Amino acid sequence: MAVIRRALHLSGVVQGVGFRPWAMRQARARGLGGGVQNTQDGVRVVLEGERSSLEAWLRALEDEPPPRARIEASRIVTEPPRGKRDFAVEQSEVSVRGSSTRIPPDVAICGACTEELFDPADRRYRYPFTHCADCGPRASVLRTLPYDRERTSLAAFPLCDACREEYEDPSDRRFHAEGIACGDCGPGLSARSADGSVPAGDPVEAAAACLAAGGIVALKGYGGFHLAVDATRADAVALLRKRKERPTKPFAVMVPDQAAAETLVQLSAHGRTPLSSVHAVVLAPRREAACRALGLAPEVAPGVEDLGLLLPVTPLHRLLLFAPGAQPGRDPARFPALVLTSANRSGEPTLHENASVRERLAGIADLVVEHDRDVARPNDDPVYRSAPGAPIPIRLSRATAPIGIPLPDGLRADPPILAIGGDLKCAPALARGGEVLIAEHLGDLGTVASADALEERVRGLCGLFGVEACAVAHDLHPEYLGSRIAGGLAARRIAVQHHHAHAASCLAEHGRSGPSLALVLDGAGFGPDGTVWGGELLRVGLLGCERVAHLERVRLPGGDAAVREPWRMAAMWLERAFPDGPPRLPWHARRDAARLGAVRAIAERGTRSPWTSSCGRLFDAVSSLLDLCDDASWEGEAALRLESAAAREAGGAGPAAAGPPPAAGAIPVADLVREIVLGRVRGEAAPTLARRFHAGLAARLAAAAAAAAGPRGLRSVVLSGGCLQNRLLAADLRRELVAAGLEPLEQRRVPANDGGLALGQAVVATARNAAATR
């Protein structure tokens, strides 16, 4: 039989996912010679042998690739045979030119490593850094590409003889596993109490004892620090809220496995995927009886329907969920549960450095458990919402970012373009070649630390891939911190209007360039007319954006103060809905007459009270009017309480009145607010009225889109903005649009909130750049 030789060049997620060991085993099983190596652009595989054997290897690649590999492009080159009979993992190709391969994601501890972790006979028994080729840190330890141990923060831990033997044994599951270690050669764990003392004995046991006593423990994971308390102790949860100054915002809860999660919440079929595959925090409707039976503290997630759950990510998490020395296994109705929340203050960058965490967590954590493996790329837990059809992404980070989205319409970013995103939920992006790479969630740009972290993140992104951006895209708002930072990151700045960026983000996710209609519904975005946009019907393409209509406008009394105090927006919508004076409501009994009068006065004068078409602020107003939330301690609290009330309406709320036809430029909703208020006066329950509000708003928005679609010859409607993460509103709107013969385009890979803004900014900037050079 004739011997042939082929060289395969594969790109995508092919490093740090066990591809090289897989390639070697498959080749040797078929008698093929050659080799495999990591390169700057992915993986190069050389196969030499009989044609039938080579074709069998290729079929295996197609039918049963490494589970976590994702091949996005491939190229096969025929080469002259060289008589190569053996197959080896070769030294990685390192070049001074930029890399184009994907960054391998961090992977939660696998089943095999978990068994070793709890096996007293195993040499890694209870070792909190037990990993193999199928699991462990990747992105969070990576300093430069290609992915090899010497280019990670594990380079500081040379392998012992036993680990070296596993690393070099093709039959071992730790063969070429760059993150392996053991207690003799790997990272170590240490603990320190709030008073600076070091507890005697095992740090894991010290942490377990602290949790059992109702204390707060800071834990260093793959990408940074979390704070943990026993989720069944109301006193511990209350203490965490007090010390972290987080009065009501829900906490996530870590449970042992998926069965435990499904005991506590109602997961959709698709909601199970991010929970088990990337160990994300998944928000889903709680099962009240099961939560009570477990003894879950009500203070974990007060006033909302959803409960956020995640599964153990690191070996340390596994060890802490079980008493010292215990084996995994549980009563189906009783299992351990830990509150696990980011150690950083809300909106700030992830805490990840040992040197600063003790100072930053002074007065918060009773015990800090840290390790000596540096975090090269900080990350946080990704967050999704369980929903019919597909989970809704809320935040992309560990294991889900960086994520690459192809540029639509054959666009190419040559040279590359940076995009900052927004000042809230900032997640910058880099457009290079034919795609946009969206980085991990960074946080809100409200502090010097977060601004520094943004600059470090974008410079690191460029450095990792060896590129220099020719321009930086940013929000149109001149006062955004991100807009000011942009000036120091590239020679040229490209401003993109907030809601145009939202719509373009969704278009890019669907591989489209427009034109299309877009309903962009969020809290706020700077409009070119100087008003605050947020309930927009647009005609969009990559190069342009036309405002077709918007929600009725009211004043935003006191600017940002109205975001923190939803009752202010309730006052504005009451005046709009009842120009002759509103009926008396329980809402009025909670108002201070002097403050209410002052708010009305500044609105009437227009003092610090711009006009707004914000959908988010409309939700705030209705939430306050239904006695659900007058003052918000976290972004979106009032709207989420309104949605949670609506979700409790089991019998159907009855249809809302159709409302007047859309006027030119305005989508009327004052009549809907009036209907909700009058229902409250009649004594209808808040859940019934909340559900009616959702349905009525969706009907009005869809009617406006349908009225605009026909004359413009358009059929697709982009749905973006943070309000579209509302499960009920999204479902109602989708149903109304389909009934009108329109095609809704929703975001299911990239967040519809401001975490997806950078994608839209990058796409618009690339399109403008391309148009300017034609």
Side-chain angles (χ1 to χ4, degrees):
M1 297 289 289
V3 172
I4 61 174
R5 180 183 173 96
R6 299 283 190 272
L8 285 73
H9 301 267
L10 308 174
S11 61
V13 184
V14 290
Q15 296 186 17
V17 291
F19 191 92
R20 290 177 297 174
W22 179 93
M24 182 171 176
R25 294 188 188 107
Q26 295 291 334
R28 287 187 171 182
R30 291 165 175 78
L32 292 168
V36 58
Q37 67 175 162
N38 284 344
T39 70
Q40 295 293 105
D41 302 317
V43 167
R44 181 175 186 266
V45 185
V46 174
L47 300 169
E48 188 168 330
E50 295 181 3
R51 181 182 299 273
S52 60
S53 298
L54 196 147
E55 289 175 348
W57 190 98
L58 292 172
R59 283 196 300 273
L61 179 63
E62 183 175 345
D63 298 338
E64 45 181 321
R68 297 190 180 276
R70 190 176 72 248
I71 297 170
E72 298 174 353
S74 62
R75 181 168 56 92
I76 301 179
V77 178
T78 300
E79 297 180 350
R82 299 180 185 176
K84 182 84 170 178
R85 296 189 177 183
D86 191 22
F87 193 98
V89 175
E90 299 175 353
Q91 187 172 355
S92 296
E93 171 198 89
V94 181
S95 170
V96 293
R97 66 181 176 85
S99 176
S100 62
T101 194
R102 287 273 187 264
I103 297 173
D106 291 345
V107 183
I109 182 173
C110 67
C113 285
T114 299
E115 288 183 10
E116 292 178 342
L117 191 67
F118 290 97
D119 181 1
D122 193 277
R123 73 186 189 92
R124 291 187 174 86
Y125 175 58
R126 297 186 62 78
Y127 179 58
F129 305 94
T130 298
H131 300 299
C132 68
D134 294 327
C135 68
R138 268 80 164 158
S140 59
V141 297
L142 182 67
R143 299 195 189 280
T144 60
L145 289 164
Y147 176 73
D148 290 292
R149 191 180 183 92
E150 62 264 29
R151 284 178 283 279
T152 73
S153 53
L154 282 157
F157 303 94
L159 296 178
C160 65
D161 290 344
C163 285
R164 173 64 62 184
E165 184 177 345
E166 292 172 327
Y167 183 86
E168 295 176 350
D169 181 1
S171 66
D172 196 287
R173 80 174 197 279
R174 291 189 170 91
F175 177 55
H176 272 271
E178 308 299 345
I180 72 166
C182 72
D184 293 331
C185 65
L189 207 62
S190 61
R192 188 177 297 272
S193 299
D195 61 5
S197 63
V198 177
D202 181 11
V204 177
E205 293 186 10
C210 184
L211 291 169
I216 300 171
V217 177
L219 304 170
K220 187 178 182 182
Y222 285 163
F225 283 88
H226 289 90
L227 294 174
V229 298
D230 184 341
T232 65
R233 291 195 55 150
D235 58 339
V237 178
L239 182 65
L240 178 60
R241 290 202 175 281
K242 179 181 178 181
R243 290 186 182 175
K244 205 182 178 193
E245 298 177 355
R246 182 168 165 165
T248 59
K249 188 175 183 180
F251 288 128
V253 175
M254 178 176 282
V255 294
D257 51 37
Q258 187 164 309
E262 296 203 49
T263 300
L264 297 179
V265 299
Q266 304 169 46
L267 278 176
S268 69
H270 295 281
R272 298 184 182 102
T273 302
L275 182 73
S276 59
S277 64
V278 296
H279 289 227
V281 175
V282 175
L283 309 173
R286 74 179 79 198
R287 301 181 190 273
E288 291 286 357
C291 290
R292 285 195 299 272
L294 182 65
L296 194 71
E299 294 83 359
V300 166
V304 296
E305 182 79 0
D306 280 1
L307 179 65
L309 298 180
L310 77 160
L311 304 184
V313 178
T314 71
L316 176 58
H317 294 152
R318 283 279 179 197
L319 292 169
L320 279 176
L321 278 174
F322 301 96
Q327 301 293 316
R330 60 176 181 81
D331 178 339
R334 299 290 303 173
F335 44 85
L338 296 177
V339 164
L340 202 70
T341 185
S342 302
N344 51 283
R345 297 189 184 277
S346 181
E348 290 187 354
T350 303
L351 286 177
H352 65 281
E353 295 177 336
N354 295 353
S356 62
V357 75
R358 293 168 198 157
E359 177 186 348
R360 299 290 296 278
L361 294 182
I364 298 177
D366 298 305
L367 185 73
V368 175
V369 178
E370 62 191 27
H371 56 72
D372 52 357
R373 185 185 66 213
D374 289 344
V375 175
R377 295 178 58 84
N379 59 46
D380 209 333
D381 297 312
V383 182
Y384 288 80
R385 250 195 132 178
S386 180
I392 300 171
I394 306 295
R395 181 172 76 199
L396 301 182
S397 195
R398 171 185 46 78
T400 56
I403 180 176
I405 301 292
L407 283 162
D409 209 24
L411 285 173
R412 291 191 62 81
D414 297 318
I417 294 175
L418 276 171
I420 297 297
D423 273 17
L424 299 179
K425 303 177 180 66
C426 180
L430 174 67
R432 56 176 189 132
E435 69 171 2
V436 179
L437 195 70
I438 307 165
E440 302 93 335
H441 165 86
L442 184 67
D444 298 344
L445 302 182
T447 64
V448 172
S450 59
D452 290 343
L454 172 61
E455 292 197 51
E456 182 180 344
R457 180 68 54 85
V458 296
R459 294 189 192 281
L461 201 60
C462 290
L464 190 64
F465 295 103
V467 299
E468 184 175 342
C470 72
V472 56
H474 59 90
D475 196 271
L476 182 66
H477 199 307
E479 298 304 316
Y480 266 16
L481 183 59
S483 301
R484 299 200 294 270
I485 291 173
L489 296 175
R492 187 159 59 95
R493 294 170 51 176
I494 302 173
V496 181
Q497 199 276 329
H498 190 89
H499 299 92
H500 187 192
H502 269 305
S505 175
C506 187
L507 282 174
E509 181 175 324
H510 288 270
R512 303 193 188 188
S513 57
S516 171
L517 288 177
L519 282 166
V520 184
L521 312 173
D522 65 359
F526 183 73
D529 60 357
T531 66
V532 179
W533 291 15
E536 310 306 313
L537 176 60
L538 310 172
R539 181 189 183 277
V540 294
L542 301 186
L543 288 174
C545 172
E546 171 197 356
R547 193 185 201 190
V548 175
H550 55 79
L551 291 179
E552 269 186 272
R553 299 189 306 183
V554 294
R555 292 287 186 178
L556 185 69
D560 287 345
V563 180
R564 298 186 295 272
E565 299 176 352
W567 67 266
R568 292 175 179 243
M569 294 308 302
M572 296 299 97
W573 277 105
L574 274 179
E575 289 195 353
R576 173 58 60 89
F578 296 93
D580 296 328
R584 185 76 180 173
L585 292 167
W587 179 89
H588 289 93
R590 300 192 302 276
R591 302 281 71 82
D592 177 271
R595 288 196 71 197
L596 182 59
V599 163
R600 286 173 172 161
I602 64 169
E604 186 175 346
R605 295 193 303 269
T607 305
R608 301 189 311 281
S609 303
W611 288 105
T612 183
S613 55
S614 169
C615 185
R617 300 293 77 79
L618 173 62
F619 268 84
D620 289 355
V622 176
S623 185
S624 177
L625 291 170
L626 292 183
D627 311 315
L628 299 171
C629 183
D630 286 337
D631 298 278
S633 65
W634 47 278
E635 186 201 8
E637 179 178 6
L640 190 54
R641 287 178 180 269
L642 182 64
E643 182 190 357
S644 294
R648 293 195 291 272
E649 174 54 50
I667 302 171
V669 285
D671 67 297
L672 178 59
V673 174
R674 182 183 181 90
E675 182 179 348
I676 298 304
V677 168
L678 293 177
R680 196 60 166 159
V681 172
R682 291 191 298 268
E684 292 187 69
T688 300
L689 295 170
R691 188 68 189 91
R692 189 176 300 158
F693 169 75
H694 280 76
L697 179 61
R700 285 158 175 76
L701 291 167
R712 291 167 175 80
L714 301 174
R715 182 173 171 270
S716 61
V717 183
V718 159
L719 300 178
S720 191
C723 293
L724 270 305
Q725 293 175 150
N726 178 314
R727 195 184 290 122
L728 294 177
L729 179 64
D732 287 348
L733 192 49
R734 183 190 315 119
R735 184 172 55 252
E736 293 280 356
L737 290 171
V738 170
L742 300 174
E743 177 194 19
L745 301 178
E746 299 178 90
Q747 296 197 260
R748 290 297 181 266
R749 293 190 65 195
V750 177
N753 62 27
D754 284 5
L757 271 182
L759 170 60
Q761 292 172 351
V763 170
V764 170
T766 301
R768 290 182 189 173
N769 211 39
T773 56
R774 286 188 186 127

